[in-house]
Amino acid sequence: MCGIVAYIGTKKAFPILINGLYRLEYRGYDSAGVALLNGGLKVYKTKGKVSELDTFVKDKDTDGTVGIAHTRWATHGEPNQINAHPHYSMNKKIAIIHNGIIENYSTIKEELKNRGYKFQSETDTEVLANLIEDVLLTEKVSLKDAVAIALQQVIGAYAIVVISEDYPDMLVAARKGSPMVIGIAEDGFYVASDATPIIEHTKNVVYLDDEEIAILEKGKDLVLKTIKGKNKTPYIQELEWNLNTLEKGGFDHFMLKEIYEQPDSIRDSMRGRLRVKEGKVVLGGIIDYEQKLVNAERIIMVACGTSWHACLVGEYLFEDIARKPVEVEYASEFRYRNPIITEKDVVIAISQSGETADTLAAIELAKEKGATVLGICNVVGSSISRATHAGIYTHAGPEIGVASTKAFTAQVTVLTLMAMRMAQLKGTMPKNKFIQALHEMERIPDKVEKVLNDGDITKFIAQEFKDASNFLYLGRGYNFPVALEGALKLKEISYIHAEGYPAAEMKHGPIALIDENMPVVFIATKNPIYEKVVSNIQEVKARNGKVIAIVTEGDTTVKNMADFVIEIPETDEMFEPLLASIPLQKLAYYIAVLRGCNVDQPRNLAKSVTVE
Ligand code: G6P
């Protein structure tokens, strides 16, 4: 989704802004632009990549120490140069960048048109630029007051930064519903949609809350107010991430780097929580809510995309080992279908970015209805981590590849820890089984390492199937969500149509698709439902389908039936998703690379979906 970068200080702004836009590319976008104050206010923008903007401005004046920059992911109006941000106001004295959607923009636009305003673009953002200009001129207030007054008329979501020729030493930033973080450095202030463009300049950041305005002035302290004018004290936090985590570190793509980081990211998710020697799991972030969880009538898990698949694994875990009823909900459906929620429910919201608009709205709804809401987020300080009553960070480090990999396994790791903690509190797991599980969980990162070193089998299989038009992914039990996630990975980055199904459901529809051209990926590991999956494989082979099977090391039965097998180490079935999802990530990756796709930034997708 749209990315925002802004700078005001003593350094030249343009290199900071363009570098910041490159850092935000992973969020997904279709055009880019920059506005700089240097005497006058200049706006440069282009359709396409940040590199195209970079080339476009080569012969332009990019001097100045104050500027704003933006990558746009189209919502109102097609992705073209005119609709790209920044947008001037009509008198060209103000420019604005915006992430979010102004829902009542057409009403405001009509009013402004009646007052003589003309519009160049189809965007809701230009409406806001002109509204601010109108307030400034008619009410004769300062820029910061004009922004505050204008925002009080706006319905919807926004993160904006405003720059004005008449206020050459000031930037005004504000947010509601869309993320925004401010970096405080010796040389000045940095503003961005997330911390990735800021880390290399400063580790001291302030996350804006909804309906807050930040006034950033050269040589002055940060001033924070609500849009209604109430002063707020900035809460400065220190970023944990470092620059190395934002570089590719020798890998061809961020996605591959992140796939290979999983032994470490899973270890980091367990660190200090999995206490094997003490025979327990400790989850400091939700310690005060453990009894709520134990006593909850049911747990509702909400999320979108890959995080929703993690919820499904969570459902199997919580019901299996902690004997707690779980419902898994798409956040987007949950929020609009008048769900039955009471104060006896615990809602667990899962999100890598911590900014997904639908998940955030589902949390607010659950809170309104009196439920306790816990979060599982990767991004520290994100909106969801702040909106929930308590939560657990996954600590997977920044995930730049749009297709989620290490964040997924980190979410599953945290859910496994939560389910184990609940099982311990409720006594639903026999002591010896619990202790065995603690030991096995500790071994998982090493086993993931082993899966990663597969002697290039996934690359080989990718070569065989890179031209397929469809794929089917089948699994049962804990591996059903793994099948869904495997299919999602493939379609996201290779644009091959892929579907995930519970293996036994194949008979009720997808079997009609099977012929000699249909690759079917089975997760057929040695667990209590292994024999059932073997029967499903036979059904596919009987129809000449091509079978790629993930099997447990040493398996011979499936090996004799499948066209290709990928072995993973033996483990308890509750940990299988952590191992079985790895080869599926690699398979999707290699197929996408062989098809020449832009793996890290697949078309139309955004890393962080901050609009509904
Ligand atoms: C987008 C991303 C997905 C992600 C989903 C939910 O669609 O492309 O990779 O799974 O949003 O994001 P979240 O940050 O809430 O986990």
Side-chain angles (χ1 to χ4, degrees), residues 304-307 350-354 356 402 404 411 492 606-607 609:
C304 305
T306 289
S307 300
I350 304 186
S351 174
Q352 186 286 128
S353 63
T356 303
V402 165
S404 186
Q411 289 164 345
E492 278 180 313
K607 180 72 185 162
V609 180

Side-chain angles (χ1 to χ4, degrees), residues 259 262 266 405 408-409 412 448 451 479 481-483 485-486 489 523 550 568 575-587:
I259 289 174
Q262 290 177 104
I266 293 174
T405 53
F408 172 72
T409 47
V412 172
V448 169
V451 180
N479 289 319
V482 175
E485 177 58 11
K489 283 295 84 82
I523 300 116
I550 313 254
I568 63 171
F575 300 114
E576 277 181 354
L578 290 170
L579 303 186
S581 51
I582 310 284
L584 302 187
Q585 297 167 350
K586 285 186 73 180
L587 183 65

Side-chain angles (χ1 to χ4, degrees), residues 274-292:
L274 185 77
R275 308 261 182 103
V276 182
K277 284 199 193 108
E278 296 161 49
K280 61 181 182 186
V281 170
V282 178
L283 297 170
I286 56 161
I287 214 150
D288 296 337
Y289 289 85
E290 281 183 347
Q291 278 316 312
K292 274 253 174 209

